């Protein structure tokens, strides 16, 4: 799988990761839980690393922590989670809980979820980064109505990562946020590359266009991920999945080259 450098350190990050919203919120000892062990195995086997979670995602952090510990794969993962509450003490308590749930002493990336009380949490996180408890810090959002606020924080604060929605059916981040992230030396994690799943469900009803094979894509999922990764400011993307066969499908989009902007402009008209 291709990697891209995290601008603040030049550490290489594999371009396809795994989101845990919904898919990882499962009961222990359920069939879904056992399947997630295969999802994480597939992530590691295909060269992926980044797992993105949040205390907002129910049991997802705890499930991720249990599975990584059971498979002894903590050191193979780049663990990203979030803080999603208000107030310094509440933020600290929630992040301490994330360390416990993820069963780790160091979180690779801690993000302020949807900018909730970002000033407070970034102040805490800068101290934790100095102590080595978190390696990188960032902010996240998922909707264009928040982009003006996201832009203001990107301009005001030194950040390692921006996580933002970007997909074939939601390209607004191209206008200001992606160029600004590149200018500020901030890595970008593209979330919701399948529009939360609805875009992919719609496209899967249609045959793949002839040009998909030209760019090495055997599925609509791969076309959508190649699109996201074609933007030079995007460092990686985190399709959410609870199925190992989908993880393998997605990971294949991280191999080979990525078409340029002109390719997508020329072929946009033939998209259903
Ligand atoms: N504000 C924020 O910070 C924020 C907001 C939104 C998302 N996120 C993060 O970004 C991640 C991705 O976003 P998302 O999960 O909302 O949406 P998404 O990645 O756009 O789509 C996920 C959906 O696509 C399906 N899928 C995945 N791979 C597939 C494949 N190869 N073939 C067919 N279906 C496939 C999944 O179902 P299966 O389980 O059946 O594969 C799931 O229903 C989240 O999981 C979360 O970690 C963060």
């Amino acid at each position: 799988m291709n990697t891209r450098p995290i601008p603040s350190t030049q550490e290489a990050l594999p371009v396809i990761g795994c989101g845990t919203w919904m898919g990882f919120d499962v009961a222990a000892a359920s069939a879904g839980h056992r399947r997630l062990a295969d999802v994480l195995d597939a992530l590691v086997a295909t060269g992926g690393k980044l797992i993105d979670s949040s205390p907002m995602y129910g049991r997802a952090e705890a499930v991720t922590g249990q599975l990584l510990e059971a498979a002894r794969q903590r050191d193979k993962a780049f663990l990203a989670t979030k803080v999603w509450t208000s107030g310094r003490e509440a933020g600290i308590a929630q992040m301490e809980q994330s360390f416990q749930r993820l069963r780790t002493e160091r979180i690779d990336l801690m993000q302020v979820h949807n900018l909730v009380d970002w000033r407070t949490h970034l102040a805490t996180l800068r101290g934790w980064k100095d102590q080595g408890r978190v390696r990188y810090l960032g902010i996240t959002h998922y909707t264009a109505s928040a982009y003006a606020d996201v832009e203001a924080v990107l301009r005001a604060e030194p950040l390692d990562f921006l996580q933002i929605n970007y997909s074939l059916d939601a390209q607004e981040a191209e206008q200001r946020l992606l160029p600004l992230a590149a200018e500020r030396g901030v890595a970008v994690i593209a979330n919701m590359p399948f529009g939360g799943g609805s875009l992919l469900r719609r496209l899967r009803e249609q045959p793949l266009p002839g040009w998909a094979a030209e760019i090495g894509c055997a599925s609509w999922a791969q076309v959508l991920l190649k699109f996201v990764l074609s933007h030079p400011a995007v460092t990686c993307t985190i399709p959410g999945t609870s199925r190992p066969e989908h993880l393998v499908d997605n990971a294949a989009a991280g191999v080979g080259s990525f078409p340029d902007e002109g390719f997508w402009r020329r072929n946009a008209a033939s998209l259903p």
Side-chain angles (χ1 to χ4, degrees):
M1 185 184 298
N2 283 283
T3 62
R4 291 184 182 169
I6 298 168
S8 61
T9 60
Q10 300 302 306
E11 177 181 349
L13 190 64
V15 293
I16 303 280
C18 183
T20 64
W21 162 240
M22 307 274 276
F24 277 55
D25 183 14
V26 297
S30 61
H33 193 273
R34 284 189 290 278
R35 208 173 57 205
L36 290 174
D38 296 337
V39 169
L40 293 186
D41 281 349
L43 180 72
V44 171
T46 55
K49 247 183 155 173
L50 201 161
I51 304 169
D52 178 72
S53 198
S54 171
M56 185 200 179
Y57 301 167
R59 292 161 288 190
E61 283 186 321
V63 166
T64 302
Q66 279 160 17
L67 292 173
L68 287 176
E69 186 177 80
R72 299 177 192 274
Q73 282 177 336
R74 168 64 189 95
D75 61 336
K76 305 262 171 59
F78 184 103
L79 271 183
T81 193
K82 312 190 185 88
V83 53
W84 182 65
T85 188
S86 293
R88 183 173 177 278
E89 296 310 318
I92 289 172
Q94 191 180 66
M95 291 189 280
E96 293 289 5
Q97 188 183 59
S98 294
F99 280 99
Q100 284 171 13
R101 289 182 171 170
L102 290 165
R103 304 186 188 200
T104 189
E105 288 178 358
R106 199 160 66 149
I107 289 176
D108 296 293
L109 167 61
M110 184 63 85
Q111 307 154 103
V112 181
H113 199 151
N114 293 349
L115 299 182
V116 175
D117 203 3
W118 60 269
R119 277 182 214 281
T120 303
H121 302 317
L122 286 180
T124 304
L125 284 170
R126 293 202 192 290
W128 286 12
K129 191 175 162 185
D130 290 343
Q131 293 164 17
R133 295 196 78 199
V134 299
R135 297 174 62 221
Y136 297 100
L137 50 85
I139 55 171
T140 79
H141 224 294
Y142 69 99
T143 178
S145 60
Y147 286 2
D149 292 338
V150 172
E151 183 179 340
V153 181
L154 255 183
R155 287 190 188 283
E157 295 282 328
L159 300 170
D160 299 301
F161 276 85
L162 165 68
Q163 183 187 140
I164 202 73
N165 65 309
Y166 181 53
S167 62
L168 195 62
D169 70 343
Q171 299 182 26
E172 296 92 326
E174 282 173 8
Q175 289 163 18
R176 296 173 71 93
L177 291 185
L178 295 183
L180 181 61
E183 183 190 312
R184 301 273 295 157
V186 174
V188 173
I189 299 174
N191 68 33
M192 301 174 74
F194 304 143
S198 57
L199 171 63
L200 186 53
R201 280 193 294 278
R202 183 165 59 77
L203 289 173
R204 284 169 80 201
E205 302 296 310
Q206 311 293 328
L208 263 186
W211 48 256
E214 274 173 46
I215 56 169
C217 290
S219 67
W220 274 112
Q222 291 171 20
V223 170
L224 295 179
L225 295 172
K226 284 268 185 201
F227 169 79
V228 167
L229 291 168
S230 294
H231 198 289
V234 171
T235 312
C236 77
T237 183
I238 47 167
T241 187
S242 56
R243 298 189 167 273
E245 66 277 20
H246 286 172
L247 192 298
V248 170
D249 181 16
N250 298 341
V255 175
S257 58
F258 301 96
D260 61 12
E261 196 198 334
F263 176 89
W264 297 105
R265 235 184 296 115
R266 282 194 302 284
N267 291 301
S270 64
L271 284 165

